[in-house]
Amino acid sequence: MDQLDQRAELGEFLRSRRARLRPEDVGLPDYGRHRRVPGLRREELAQLAGVSVAYYTRLEQGNGQNVSAQVLDAIARALRLDGTETAHLTHLARPAPRRRRQPPRPQQVRPGLRTLLEAMEGVPAYLVGRRQDVIGWNRAAAEVFGDFGALPAAERNLVRMVFLDPATAELYADWECRACEVVSNLRMYAGRHPEDEQLSALVGELSVKNEEFRRLWAAHTVADKTHGVKRLRHPLVGELSLSFQTLRLPDDPEQALVVYHAAPGSPSEDALRMLSSWASPAAACSPAGRAAAPADGPAGPGAGAGAGAPPGA
């Protein structure tokens, strides 16, 4: 599986978005006739978008060369796409020119960012890179989510851990929501980087090994959840409710710092303090500025690996 088929991805995305709409959702009459396909017909969608049925059919078949931004906007409005979905449609229909394939540069964790991670005592935080690889973390994150450093570098990936690590399934009280989040985010990345062979390998592996991943991947949902609340079942301190914020690096949007915190005075805040007091003093820092890995694999620990909790995501 060398790379994702951009034309097939475009057609499948359009069909999946069309299938979720009913005529009454968009102000069209429904005469109660048996519908051969779920959702809107191509003819109905073309009518709403103001394009010919033949043109829309070609687009859904992946033949959307030179499609204009105006047409894409009209189709996005007809499909009731949100901003993230509209951007995904644009990436699929109007991909950036292919350059001569070169190995991607290994991602680096800047020394200043590594120092910041280390300084955030008691505040779980990790840095994610391409394909949601975990490329840096602090001790508090290791205490809550598990010892990332105990995993082989190639396995420090949030999507892989959510679907293939049994400890992660136990850690997340809302595992189904978490699974949908990571797949939707990976779909968004795939729209921008269809040529990423490591992405294709990851999707192929998960599709073979996990039925739920196959189902969610086939749904073509795209989303970028930048904040929210995670409910955890920690093996040492029990239930945790942690809010999170995702902060993208302005000079490298393929890296994002995810920071967690508990509400002041809450039981979860007390639990974080307990975990911090139990932290292993042997947790060591990785060399500052160390590259992620030779083949663009995840980087070494951001500030050190905690003890006690099983690997999680």
Side-chain angles (χ1 to χ4, degrees):
M1 189 173 185
D2 293 332
Q3 62 184 37
L4 299 179
D5 185 338
Q6 195 87 338
R7 293 175 59 182
E9 291 289 308
L10 172 61
E12 290 170 8
F13 178 68
L14 286 170
R15 285 189 290 274
S16 70
R17 302 305 89 179
R18 180 164 56 86
R20 70 180 182 179
L21 292 175
R22 299 172 299 174
E24 55 267 34
D25 295 332
V26 294
L28 293 177
D30 186 355
Y31 299 107
R33 294 175 298 175
H34 177 67
R35 304 179 74 85
R36 292 180 301 169
V37 295
L40 295 180
R41 297 186 178 93
R42 285 176 176 169
E43 295 84 352
E44 294 167 329
L45 197 285
Q47 175 186 342
L48 289 169
V51 298
S52 71
V53 176
Y55 185 92
Y56 178 77
T57 299
R58 288 196 301 272
L59 186 63
E60 201 170 273
Q61 290 173 344
N63 299 318
Q65 295 92 338
N66 302 317
V67 59
S68 70
Q70 291 79 5
V71 168
L72 288 178
D73 286 343
I75 291 173
R77 288 194 300 271
L79 289 171
R80 304 288 181 88
L81 303 187
D82 62 22
T84 300
E85 292 171 324
T86 300
H88 184 68
L89 173 62
T90 301
H91 286 304
L92 294 177
R94 305 179 72 187
R98 294 286 177 88
R99 299 177 181 177
R100 187 173 61 181
R101 184 178 299 176
Q102 296 179 342
R105 290 183 178 182
Q107 288 186 292
Q108 304 273 349
V109 181
R110 291 200 303 261
L113 186 56
R114 192 178 299 276
T115 301
L116 175 62
L117 278 168
E118 296 169 6
M120 298 169 70
E121 294 185 9
V123 179
Y126 52 72
L127 188 69
V128 292
R130 303 182 186 114
R131 302 169 297 275
Q132 298 177 66
D133 290 339
V134 180
I135 61 176
W137 63 91
N138 63 9
R139 184 175 300 176
E143 292 157 6
V144 172
F145 298 103
D147 188 353
F148 292 107
L151 293 172
E155 295 181 12
R156 295 179 203 145
N157 175 275
L158 295 181
V159 190
R160 193 180 191 282
M161 293 159 70
V162 163
F163 287 97
L164 300 185
D165 177 22
T168 299
E170 292 296 325
L171 180 66
Y172 282 101
D174 51 358
W175 182 89
E176 292 82 4
C177 292
R178 180 61 172 151
C180 186
E181 286 175 12
V182 295
V183 174
S184 298
N185 191 278
L186 192 67
R187 265 288 180 198
M188 188 173 61
Y189 175 87
R192 297 193 301 263
H193 302 281
E195 76 290 343
D196 187 331
E197 295 183 0
Q198 293 187 51
L199 166 69
S200 299
L202 175 64
V203 171
E205 178 189 13
L206 292 172
S207 297
V208 168
K209 294 182 177 179
N210 193 280
E211 181 179 354
E212 184 65 9
F213 176 85
R214 289 198 302 273
R215 184 186 71 81
L216 291 172
W217 186 254
H220 286 266
T221 302
V222 291
D224 187 18
K225 191 168 184 180
T226 58
H227 63 280
V229 177
K230 294 287 194 304
R231 295 188 301 111
L232 310 175
R233 292 184 294 244
H234 196 278
L236 297 181
V237 297
E239 293 188 5
L240 287 171
S241 179
L242 301 179
S243 298
F244 72 93
Q245 299 285 337
T246 302
L247 311 172
R248 294 205 174 273
L249 275 60
D251 59 343
D252 186 357
E254 290 186 354
Q255 290 191 32
L257 181 66
V258 186
V259 183
Y260 292 82
H261 72 278
S266 67
S268 294
E269 184 182 49
D270 294 337
L272 285 181
R273 289 200 188 98
M274 291 174 63
L275 283 175
S276 182
S277 68
W278 297 339
S280 169
C285 301
S286 64
R290 176 178 170 183
D296 190 30

